[in-house]
Amino acid sequence: MSDSPRYRFAPSPTGFFHVGGARTALYNWALTLRTGGTFVLRIEDTDESRNSPEWTQGIIDALSWLGIDSSHPQFEGPYFQSQNADLHVKAAHRLFEQGNAYWCDLTGEQIQERAKASGKQGYDGYSRDRGLGPGPGHVLRFRVPEGTTVVNDLVRGRVEFANDTIEDFVLLRGNGTPMFLLANVVDDIEMNITTVVRAEEHLPNTPKQQLIWDALGVTPPVWAHVPVLVNEQRKKLSKRRDKVALEQYKSEGILPDAMVNYLMTLGWAPAGDTEIVPWQHIVDEFKLEDVNHSPAFFDIKKLNAFNGDYIRAMSFDAFINACQPFFSDAPWPTQRFDADVFKKMAPLLQTRVVTLSEVPAMVDFMFLENAVIDEDAWAKTMASDFAADVLRDFAASVETCEWNHDSLKALLEAWTESRELKLGKTQAPIRVAITGRTVGPPLFESIEVLGRDETVRRLHSALSRLG
RNA sequence: GCUCCCAUCGUCUAGUGGCCUAGGACACCACCCUCUCAAGGUGGCGGCACGGGUUCGAAUCCCGUUGGGAGUGCCA
C-alpha cells in the first residue's frame, strides 16, 4: 500500500445534492488532485428510511457536473455503507468483548425520566455495570473512558474535550443495526482513509469517533472541519428554508465552472487580486491550513456575478451549445425556432445574461409569431406625440433601404435629427413594436436579423393597434 | 442549560508583530461610453465587535466581555 493520502466524501442519499455537500466534495477533490491521493465516495445509507437507490445516481451525476468524474483514476467507489453492516456489527461485538461497550435495556422515555430526576441531561451510564447481554431492544453503548480527548484538526488546531461531557453513545440500535458513529469509523478504517475533511457540524462527533478508533486500536485519521455555509440569517443552510439544491442552480443556468469557482472561494481565497481563477490554479494552491474558521454566507448575487463572468468568457460555440438545454421550455413553438437566427443573435445576448435561463426571454420575439407586447412598455412609449409618426415613417423607409444595421440606424438618426429629438427617445416605440419590450438586445442588429418583411409587418401592426 | 467553534467593509476574503493612513472581489452610488439594457472604463462609499494586557510597536499574541454559530437522537 502506498502512503498517498486517501480522502473520502460520504454523503447520505437525501434526494438532492446540497451546495454545502458540493463544497465539501470539491475540497476533497482538490486535495486529492493536489496530493496525488484518492477520492473515495461512500454512500451513507445506514438509516434504512433514507436508502433510496435512484438517489445514488443523482449524487454521481451531481459530482460529475462539478467535474468530479467517477471514471477518473483517482476516484474510488461508490461504496455503500449498508453493505458493510456485518463489519460494523463485528466491530461492535469486539468492542463489547474488550469491555469498551456494554448493553443497555433502557428506553428513550426511561432515560428521559432518569435525566429529569437527576437534573442532568442525557444518558447517565445506568447500565454500565449491570452486566447485561444482548437481547431484544437492548442497545450497545460505548463506555466512554475517563480523561480528555484531544482532536488535532488541520483547520481548527487543537480542540480538547473533557470525556465526562461525552455521554455513553449508542453503537448498535435495539434492532441490532449499527449507528452512524460506528459505521462511519469502521468504514473509514476499512477503506484506509487518512484524512477526513467534512463540515464543522461534525466537530462535536469527532471525540466520540476518535475514541472508537482508539478502542479499535487504529491511529485516527487527520481531521479537518471546514466551516458551514449559512444563509442571510447566518443559520446553517437548510433544505426547507434555503435554495440549496445543486440541480436547481444547474437548471437555472448556472455554469458548473462558475459554481465550482464560487464554492471554493467560500472560506478560502486564491492568492492575488482576483477570485475568478481556473480550477487547476485552485488545485495548485488549495490548502486546508488556509481555510477560514468562520461560517460563510452563500451569496447568490455573487454566484450570479461569477456566472456572468464565466458566460462572457465562453467561446461563441460553447455559448451556443450551453444554451441548447434551455430551449426545451422556451415560450415559442419549437418549429419556429431557427438555429441560424439564434447564432446571429447569440453574441448580442452573451454580455446581457447572468444565467443561461434568461436567454429564451431575450430572443423570444424572434421566434414568436408576434412579439408579446408588454402593456406597461406600450403605454409608456406610445404616449409620445411622435410615436405614430416615427412608426409610420420608419416603416416606409425600411421597405426600400439597404439592409444592414448601420443603415437602419442611420435612417432613424436622420429622422430623429430632423425633429430635433434624441435617438434614445425615438427608438423606443420601434423597439416595443418589434420586440414588445423597452429593453433587449441592440435594436438595429435585431431588426437586421428579423428581416425586412417581418419588420414592416410588425411596424404596421403596431400602427393599427395605435389606432 | 451543557459542550465545542468563531469574530477584518453589507457580503466573500487578503493580512500570521513594523511593508496597513488595512488590499481585492460582489453589492451599492456617481461619472464616462451608449439606440434600450447590459458589458467595459474611471472614481466613490464602507471594516479590524468592545475592554484590558504583552510589546519600542498589535488587525495580527494573551485574558475577559459581548455577539454569532454548530452540536446536544436507538438521524447522518
Side-chain angles (χ1 to χ4, degrees), chain A residues 115-128:
Chain A
K116 205 184 237 174
S118 71
K120 287 189 209 139
Q121 291 225 324
Y123 178 71
D124 60 0
Y126 173 68
S127 298
R128 274 193 159 214

Side-chain angles (χ1 to χ4, degrees), chain A residues 93-359:
Chain A
H93 286 290
R94 182 178 150 199
L95 256 15
F96 171 69
E97 281 152 22
Q98 291 176 177
N100 294 305
Y102 59 91
W103 296 96
C104 174
D105 60 357
L106 254 40
T107 63
E109 294 80 55
Q110 291 173 311
I111 291 168
Q112 274 189 8
E113 279 167 28
R114 292 184 61 82
K116 205 184 237 174
S118 71
K120 287 189 209 139
Q121 291 225 324
Y123 178 71
D124 60 0
Y126 173 68
S127 298
R128 274 193 159 214
D129 303 310
R130 289 171 62 218
L132 260 35
H138 290 198
V139 302
L140 186 70
R141 287 182 179 273
F142 189 82
R143 189 190 303 273
V144 176
E146 293 186 345
T148 303
T149 301
V150 175
V151 171
N152 286 305
D153 189 290
L154 244 31
V155 174
R156 314 269 149 193
R158 177 193 161 95
V159 186
E160 232 180 82
F161 297 84
N163 288 5
D164 57 14
T165 65
I166 305 170
E167 70 174 39
D168 288 348
F169 52 93
V170 174
L171 260 15
L172 251 29
R173 298 186 180 90
N175 65 8
T177 58
M179 291 279 293
F180 158 75
L181 250 19
L182 205 221
N184 195 262
V185 169
V186 171
D187 287 347
D188 283 345
I189 291 174
E190 176 67 16
M191 297 169 190
N192 295 309
I193 301 305
T194 60
T195 313
V196 172
V197 181
R198 67 212 321 194
E200 188 190 354
E201 64 210 60
H202 289 288
L203 189 52
N205 288 148
T206 309
K208 299 180 187 174
Q209 295 197 312
Q210 193 164 291
L211 253 14
I212 300 177
W213 281 79
D214 289 342
L216 255 16
V218 187
T219 308
V222 174
W223 308 103
H225 290 90
V226 303
V228 293
L229 262 27
V230 298
N231 62 18
E232 46 280 278
Q233 275 79 240
R234 300 241 124 227
K235 301 282 187 204
K236 190 172 75 164
L237 246 32
S238 102
K239 151 180 168 182
R240 293 196 60 181
R241 289 186 299 255
D242 309 305
K243 196 167 117 182
V244 297
L246 205 61
E247 287 84 353
Q248 192 179 352
Y249 288 98
K250 177 186 177 186
S251 71
E252 287 177 6
I254 294 291
L255 264 18
D257 288 355
M259 178 60 88
V260 166
N261 195 158
Y262 175 64
L263 248 15
M264 290 305 290
T265 65
L266 259 22
W268 178 81
D273 275 351
T274 174
E275 295 174 314
I276 307 269
V277 291
W279 172 246
Q280 188 54 49
H281 183 110
I282 292 172
V283 169
D284 291 341
E285 276 193 10
F286 181 75
K287 285 204 278 296
L288 286 168
E289 291 83 346
D290 295 336
V291 173
N292 249 49
H293 296 183
S294 30
F297 170 48
F298 184 80
D299 186 356
I300 295 172
K301 274 189 176 175
K302 190 159 178 178
L303 203 214
N304 283 336
F306 270 50
N307 204 55
D309 249 53
Y310 272 92
I311 285 178
R312 275 170 251 128
M314 290 173 107
S315 70
F316 177 77
D317 288 337
F319 179 68
I320 301 274
N321 287 335
C323 288
Q324 300 307 316
F326 297 87
F327 294 146
S328 59
D329 52 353
W332 55 76
T334 48
Q335 70 274 12
R336 287 188 60 88
F337 179 75
D338 182 333
D340 290 332
V341 166
F342 181 72
K343 277 184 184 171
K344 287 178 187 152
M345 293 300 291
L348 304 175
L349 309 176
Q350 202 170 347
T351 57
R352 289 176 169 75
V353 295
V354 155
T355 62
L356 261 15
S357 61
E358 296 165 23
V359 168

